[in-house]
Amino acid sequence: MTILAGKNAIITGAAVGLGRAYAAALAAQGVNVALCDLREEVLQRPTEMQAHGVKSIAWQGDVSQPDDVRKVVDGTLAAFGSIDILVNNAGVWGASVADDPLDKSLADYDRIVGTNLKGEYLFGRAVLPIMIEHAKGGDIVNVATDHMVTCGTPHNVCPNLPTCPWNQPTSSFDGPPRPTGGGNAMDLYDAAKWGLNGLLFAWAQAGKPHNIRVNALCMGATDSHMLRSFHNFKPSPEEEASWMRAEDAAQVLIDLLNEGPTGRTGQNMNFCVGRPVKLEPPLPLRYLEESAL
Ligand SMILES: NC(=O)c1ccc[n+]([C@@H]2O[C@H](COP(=O)([O-])OP(=O)(O)OC[C@H]3O[C@@H](n4cnc5c(N)ncnc54)[C@H](O)[C@@H]3O)[C@@H](O)[C@H]2O)c1
C-alpha cells in the first residue's frame, strides 16, 4: 500500500484497454474506483475491482454528454464522499482526411473531438471545482498520444532520441523517429489530442495553488482493443511484439500519482515504443514559465 490507499478516483473509458488497466492498478493500491464507459461491459468491472477490497461503482455513459458526466461525478461524490484522482482516459480513433465528404466530417468531428477533447474538458470542469472546494489537493491525468504534434515533445528535442530505436539507420520503421506525427489520416484525432495541451497548461496553473496536479500520459502503441482494431485485428507478429503492455503503462500512472503534491505538474509524459515503460524524470517546462507554476 502507498499514499494512494483510501483515495477516490474516476476513470473514464474503463471497460477495456488502458482504462481497465489503470482502474485495476489503482484498485490494487487501495483506491476506490468509479468507472464509466460507452460499453455495457463496464458494469461488470466493479466486481473485479472490489476483489482488491475497495469500493467500486460504474455507469454506462458517454463522456461527450454533459448529463452523463454530471451523473458520474455526482454519483461518485455521493458514493465516495470526495474525488482525489481523475483519469481522463476515454478515447476513440477514426481515420479522417482533409477531403472527406462534409457529412462524414461532421459526424467524425462530433465523435472524435467529442470524446477525445470535449469529454476530457467536461470531466475536468466538473471535478476541478470539487477538488478546490474540498481543499485536499488532487490529480488529473489526461490521456493523449505520442504523436509529435500532440505530446508536447517534438522528436527533435526528445532527450531520449539518441537511443530511440526508431532513430537508428537500421530501423525498419517507414517514417521519422517516434514520437512522430500521426499522418494525414488523423487530422481530427490529433487536433483533439493536441487540444488537450490547452487544458493541461491552464489547469496545471489553476490547480497549483490548491495542490492539484495536472499531467498527461502520451501513449505510444499499447496493446488494447483500439490498437488491435487499428490493425484490423490481424497485427503482424513483429508489430504485436513491439507493443507496450497496458499493465506497465498503469504502473507509470501509479508512480506518477505517488509523487504526491510536490511532484511534477503541467507535463506530458511520452510513451515511445522501444523504450522502457517507466516514469522518466520530469522534462524542463517547454510551454509554461516555471514561475507560472
Ligand atoms: N492503445 C494505444 O496504442 C494508444 C495510443 C495512443 C493513445 N491512446 C489513448 O489511450 C486511451 C485509451 O485507449 P485504448 O487504446 O485503451 O482504447 P480502447 O478502445 O481499447 O478503450 C477505450 C475505451 O473508451 C471507451 N469510450 C470511447 N468513447 C467513449 C465515450 N464517448 N464515452 C465513454 N467511453 C468511451 C471505449 O468504449 C473503450 O472501452 C485513449 O484516449 C486513446 O486515444 C491509446
Side-chain angles (χ1 to χ4, degrees):
M1 287 293 164
T2 64
I3 59 166
L4 300 179
K7 291 190 185 287
N8 305 313
I10 294 176
I11 303 99
T12 69
V16 300
L18 279 158
R20 183 181 183 182
Y22 293 143
L26 285 164
Q29 296 291 318
V31 177
N32 301 314
V33 287
L35 317 173
C36 74
D37 203 291
L38 275 180
R39 292 169 188 267
E40 199 178 357
E41 298 103 285
V42 74
L43 302 176
Q44 298 162 18
R45 299 293 166 250
T47 312
E48 290 170 21
M49 305 299 156
Q50 287 157 4
H52 294 284
V54 298
K55 291 187 239 173
S56 182
I57 190 164
W59 291 267
Q60 190 176 5
D62 183 340
V63 298
S64 70
Q65 298 303 314
D67 289 349
D68 286 4
V69 174
R70 201 68 261 168
K71 187 175 60 183
V72 173
V73 172
D74 289 350
T76 304
L77 208 48
F80 298 166
S82 68
I83 301 168
D84 307 294
I85 299 163
L86 167 65
V87 184
N88 254 330
N89 164 79
V92 66
W93 180 85
S96 62
V97 294
D99 60 350
D100 271 338
L102 185 59
D103 285 355
K104 175 182 182 299
S105 294
L106 293 176
D108 283 348
Y109 186 93
D110 286 346
R111 190 171 67 96
I112 297 173
V113 180
T115 296
N116 295 308
L117 181 58
K118 184 183 174 192
E120 302 210 8
Y121 169 74
L122 290 175
F123 263 97
R125 268 290 200 276
V127 164
L128 269 165
I130 294 168
M131 287 181 172
I132 290 172
E133 188 193 330
H134 286 206
K136 291 195 305 162
D139 272 274
I140 296 181
V141 180
N142 294 332
V143 180
T145 186
D146 71 336
H147 302 164
M148 162 184 130
V149 293
T150 59
C151 72
T153 309
H155 64 75
N156 53 349
V157 297
C158 176
N160 300 298
L161 194 61
T163 53
C164 175
W166 301 109
N167 192 36
Q168 308 308 316
T170 51
S171 168
S172 58
F173 182 64
D174 180 20
R178 289 185 182 185
T180 177
N184 64 1
M186 297 206 196
D187 62 354
L188 283 175
Y189 182 79
D190 275 352
K193 294 294 193 186
W194 198 8
L196 293 177
N197 279 323
L199 305 183
L200 172 69
F201 301 143
W203 290 356
Q205 289 178 74
K208 182 73 177 172
H210 306 281
N211 283 334
I212 299 166
R213 299 193 301 148
V214 188
N215 290 292
L217 303 178
C218 301
M219 304 310 307
T222 309
D223 197 352
S224 72
H225 184 273
M226 179 189 285
L227 189 58
R228 287 184 178 270
S229 69
F230 185 83
H231 292 276
N232 292 322
F233 298 98
K234 288 183 203 142
S236 70
E238 300 76 34
E239 179 69 34
E240 194 174 341
S242 74
W243 292 347
M244 292 175 272
R245 294 182 341 127
E247 295 76 13
D248 296 335
Q251 184 56 47
V252 177
L253 169 73
I254 300 301
D255 293 343
L256 170 68
L257 296 174
N258 268 324
E259 288 184 335
T262 57
R264 73 193 76 193
T265 190
Q267 293 257 329
N268 281 299
M269 271 141 286
N270 222 7
F271 288 70
C272 287
V273 160
R275 285 221 308 269
V277 184
K278 61 181 178 118
L279 186 66
E280 295 180 355
L283 291 168
L285 288 175
R286 204 162 292 286
Y287 301 109
L288 280 175
E289 297 290 335
E290 283 289 344
S291 59
L293 290 171

